[in-house]
């Protein structure tokens, strides 16, 4: 359905892609992966025709409908929710609106008006043969959590996260033959991500999707497109199968060079580590079976480097960790938290989940003292040294300092090697450590915040959606770091693989403000919920 022929993309002296040749088939769902800056979004924009490559050709079958997820959440402010979704099929939308106008103001004694109405009816029938477009729009909006009475409201009344949901509905509504999605899980809660997975698994055409959500890629994708070595390489299987295969090849090459028994042991440990969590134990056997079937000969090891995140508490905590007593918080007339009481014991690792807007970030800010509750109190244990990873690091990490000087400002007594090591673990090389803070990207600022948390060594970590802007390798490393951390964790997350990696307690805040407090893993929580 989509052919990429001799594609080349250059920006000045920088080569993003060189001689890329691919055939993307109907019925296959491709996950587009690669390190930050490798060119994933650029490649997707070339496929969709948004930008033009330096050389080469993109061939898409004639008469195929192409859907591209919109990124401008403010493009439809003066349109209703229903009309914005309907605009996913522009030809149908235009025909319906013109018909409505003619039926309201047209002169039916005029043959031209009647002829035009006939033409519009033909267009409507071609685009919507069953005349169920309005029903489908209503259904998809309700599935996304918008009740029928809200469908005629303007897009300008929605929050950013809800606007993004409407853009998703818009691109899915016409059931395009070819679908290009760039980070569709951003700003979505766990429930909506699950709905999107189900929708995409029913997609019968060609799908290419960029995502940093491993669970999502494993659930949806039948193939992986790996952007690496200035090329895009295709792999049959889901993300986990690609990840194991690519790392196995790298380990095998190391073994060939060293021929040492220790290398064989490291290879075996890799598989064990990848499925080390208790909740993943039952998956280990199936992963090994998948591994036995893989053809590793054609797979080239990834050039990407994995960060090495290690949280070590500088102080051992006592018997008391944290207690939240009757905390309430309002914004104007909106009550976000109402009489909330929770107690956290030492060594608990909590995933804080729930729909957008229910107060998860508010609770985190109240816990660390960045926001005062209207009533109630937060009681930290006497030995607790808490550390906070905010949701938005862009406004916090600013200035003209170098990365090294910025990090050193948090611990003037730290040795040079310690500062360098904390940055190096997050893949900032010696030269990069001398860059100015203002010059780094959003993803790099998230990695800088991780470096700061490693340096400061708190024994109670509060993290608000830390996986935003991190690539898949960094998210996997973060999950392992939180799993092995000897201290407490409260982490707001929508990434289910991350939650599954570390959490031994799940707290869900519901739309109505009620709380579900479950002691156990996320997998166990889902099983009980079913």
């Amino acid at each position: 359905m989509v052919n990429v022929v001799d594609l080349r993309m250059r920006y000045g002296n920088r080569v993003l892609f060189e001689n890329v040749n691919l055939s993307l088939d109907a019925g296959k769902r491709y996950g587009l992966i690669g390190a930050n800056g490798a060119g994933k979004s650029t490649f997707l924009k070339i496929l969709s025709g948004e930008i033009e490559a330096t050389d080469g050709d993109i061939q898409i079958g004639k008469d195929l409908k192409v859907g591209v997820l919109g990124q401008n959440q403010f493009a439809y402010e003066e349109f209703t929710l229903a009309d914005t979704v309907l605009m996913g099929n522009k030809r149908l939308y235009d025909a319906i609106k013109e018909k409505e106008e003619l039926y309201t103001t047209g002169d039916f004694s005029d043959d031209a008006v009647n002829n035009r109405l006939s033409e519009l009816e033909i267009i409507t029938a071609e685009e919507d043969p069953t005349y169920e477009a309005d029903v489908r729009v209503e259904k998809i909006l309700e599935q996304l959590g918008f009740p029928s009475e809200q469908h005629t409201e303007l897009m300008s009344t929605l929050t950013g996260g809800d606007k993004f949901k409407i853009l998703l509905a818009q691109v899915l509504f016409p059931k395009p033959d070819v679908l290009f999605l760039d980070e569709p899980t951003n700003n979505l809660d766990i429930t909506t991500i699950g709905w999107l997975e189900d929708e995409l698994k029913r997609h019968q055409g060609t799908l290419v999707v960029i995502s940093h959500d491993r669970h999502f890629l494993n659930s949806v994708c039948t193939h992986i497109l790996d952007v690496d070595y200035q090329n895009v390489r295709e792999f049959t299987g889901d993300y986990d199968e690609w990840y194991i295969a690519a790392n196995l090849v790298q380990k095998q090459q190391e073994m060939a060079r060293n021929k040492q028994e220790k290398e064989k042991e490291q290879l075996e440990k890799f598989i064990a580590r990848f499925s080390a969590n208790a909740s993943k134990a039952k998956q280990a056997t199936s992963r090994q079976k998948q591994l036995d079937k893989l053809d590793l000969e054609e797979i080239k090891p990834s050039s990407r480097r994995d960060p090495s995140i290690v949280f070590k508490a500088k102080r051992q905590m006592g018997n008391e960790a944290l207690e939240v007593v009757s905390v309430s918080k309002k914004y104007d007339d909106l009550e976000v938290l109402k009489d909330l009481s929770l107690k956290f014991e030492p060594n608990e690792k909590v995933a804080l989940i729930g729909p957008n807007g229910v107060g998860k970030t508010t609770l985190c800010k109240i816990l660390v003292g960045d926001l005062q509750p209207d009533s109630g109190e937060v009681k930290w244990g006497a030995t607790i040294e808490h550390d906070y990873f905010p949701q938005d690091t862009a406004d916090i990490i600013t200035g003209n300092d170098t990365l090294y000087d910025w990090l050193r400002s948090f611990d003037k007594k730290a040795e040079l090697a310690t500062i360098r090591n904390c940055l190096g673990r997050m893949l900032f090389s010696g030269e990069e450590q001398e860059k100015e803070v203002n010059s780094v990207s959003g993803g790099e600022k998230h990695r800088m915040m991780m470096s700061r948390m490693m340096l400061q060594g708190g024994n109670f970590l509060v993290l608000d959606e830390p996986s935003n802007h991190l690539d898949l390798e960094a998210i996997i490393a973060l999950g392992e770091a939180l799993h092995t951390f000897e201290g407490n964790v409260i982490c707001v997350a929508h990434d289910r693989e991350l939650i599954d990696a570390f959490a031994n307690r799940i707290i869900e805040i519901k739309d109505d403000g009620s709380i579900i407090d479950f002691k156990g893993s996320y997998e166990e929580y889902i099983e009980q919920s079913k």
Side-chain angles (χ1 to χ4, degrees), residues 254-265:
E254 291 172 5
M255 287 171 61
R257 286 194 297 268
N258 294 290
K259 297 291 186 182
Q260 293 180 3
E261 187 64 28
K262 184 179 179 181
E263 296 296 330
K264 179 175 180 295
E265 182 182 333

Side-chain angles (χ1 to χ4, degrees), residues 29 32 37 68 70 72 116 188 285 316 340 346 349 370 376 381 399 426 450 467 472 483 488 522:
R29 302 185 295 272
L32 185 59
V68 182
N72 184 0
R116 181 55 181 163
L188 299 184
T285 302
Q316 186 173 357
L340 177 64
K349 295 177 181 178
D370 284 0
M426 294 310 301
M450 290 290 175
S467 60
L472 279 157
H483 175 69
N488 276 58
Y522 182 68

Side-chain angles (χ1 to χ4, degrees), residues 4-8 18-22 55-57:
V4 181
V5 183
D6 296 332
L7 182 73
R8 181 180 298 148
E18 191 77 51
N19 297 325
V20 177
N21 290 277
L22 290 169
D55 289 299
D57 193 22

Side-chain angles (χ1 to χ4, degrees), residues 159 328-337 357-359 374 511:
T159 62
S328 297
K329 183 64 181 179
K330 272 186 179 181
Y331 294 104
D332 297 324
D333 294 328
L334 178 63
E335 190 167 47
V336 179
L337 300 174
V358 295
D374 297 331
D511 276 318

Side-chain angles (χ1 to χ4, degrees), residues 16 40 66 69 71 75 91 104 112 116 150 170 207 245 274 300 309 354 375 377 382 429-430 489 508 515 524:
L16 269 186
K40 299 186 297 295
V66 177
L69 176 61
Q71 298 296 322
R91 187 168 183 249
T104 302
R116 181 55 181 163
Q150 198 175 355
Q170 183 188 76
L207 167 68
F274 194 71
K300 194 174 181 181
I309 304 175
S375 60
E377 60 179 325
S429 64
V489 174
E508 180 174 6
I515 300 289
E524 291 167 337

